[in-house]
Amino acid sequence: MTSKGDLTKARLAESMLELIQTSGFSGTGLNAVIEHAAAPKGSVYFHFPDGKEGLGVAAVELAAKQFETLISEAAASTGNASDAVRAVIAALSTIVSGSDFRLGCPVSVVTLEMGAESERLRLACVTAFESWIAAAASLLEAGGVDAEHARSLATVVVSTIEGAVIVSRAMRSVQPLASAAEVVAALIDQRSAKAGETR
């Protein structure tokens, strides 16, 4: 059974995650997180003794889990890797456009703002990106791509999606994400076809 304290801690991380997306890491104050989470005043330092940095790490870890879940659900509901990636990008497009282009990837936000300032936050972002690359690589390997090429292509896929989210927000259009989906899916199909020829 989840305790009240655990629920408060999770709520604080969720609020931090959402506020990072809309206001940035630097623009998100602890009072704003407390208010957004409707949490007791002293709860942040009780659950996160190291303050904003620790809360930021928790938010990045939560974002990592959410995107991993999105990848696994897409993989389970589609027939191949390229369709799974299309499904992931379609889901992201819905999130971005549904928020009136206010929500993006919190991990990229934290990386850009804090990567040179906090080694702990930078490493949390590395871990998040690595988890997504690993999940995408597993998906590609299941489609027949060898491990080395799967890792390389998965890195391209994640990097392309990250860039497309940023450009979509800037343009206030999901067209960059749609274009990314087409190009990435074509790359995956091409690599999968090559893998099939060599087997």
Side-chain angles (χ1 to χ4, degrees), residues 5-191:
D6 287 339
L7 290 173
T8 299
K9 185 175 182 179
R11 207 162 64 244
L12 287 166
E14 288 165 5
S15 291
M16 184 67 173
L17 177 59
E18 187 172 331
L19 291 171
I20 285 172
Q21 293 177 88
T22 57
S23 304
F25 183 86
S26 299
T28 298
L30 292 181
N31 286 336
V33 176
I34 291 167
E35 183 179 341
H36 188 276
K41 191 80 172 173
S43 59
V44 168
Y45 286 104
F46 178 79
H47 293 292
F48 301 97
D50 45 358
K52 188 175 176 180
E53 185 179 54
L55 189 52
V57 169
V60 168
E61 290 172 347
L62 178 59
K65 289 176 186 172
Q66 289 178 347
F67 194 58
E68 280 183 74
T69 299
L70 184 59
I71 294 172
S72 63
E73 288 176 351
S77 64
T78 57
N80 56 52
S82 61
D83 285 344
V85 169
R86 286 179 194 273
V88 167
I89 295 177
L92 290 174
S93 296
T94 299
I95 292 168
V96 172
S97 61
S99 69
D100 194 29
F101 299 93
R102 287 172 58 81
L103 298 183
C105 176
V107 179
S108 64
V109 171
V110 174
T111 300
L112 292 170
E113 286 190 33
M114 301 301 297
E117 304 296 326
S118 166
E119 184 66 2
R120 187 178 174 201
L121 285 168
R122 186 190 70 79
L123 290 174
C125 293
V126 169
T127 300
F129 287 130
E130 285 285 356
S131 72
W132 302 343
I133 290 168
S138 294
L139 186 60
L140 293 166
E141 286 185 59
V145 180
D146 66 90
E148 183 182 348
H149 286 114
R151 165 78 188 185
S152 177
L153 183 51
T155 302
V156 170
V157 169
V158 172
S159 300
T160 301
I161 292 172
E162 285 294 309
V165 168
I166 292 170
V167 177
S168 288
R169 290 183 70 191
M171 292 185 170
R172 296 183 63 78
S173 166
V174 293
Q175 185 55 52
L177 277 162
S179 297
E182 292 304 313
V183 172
V184 168
L187 278 172
I188 291 171
D189 286 339
Q190 184 181 52
R191 178 55 66 185

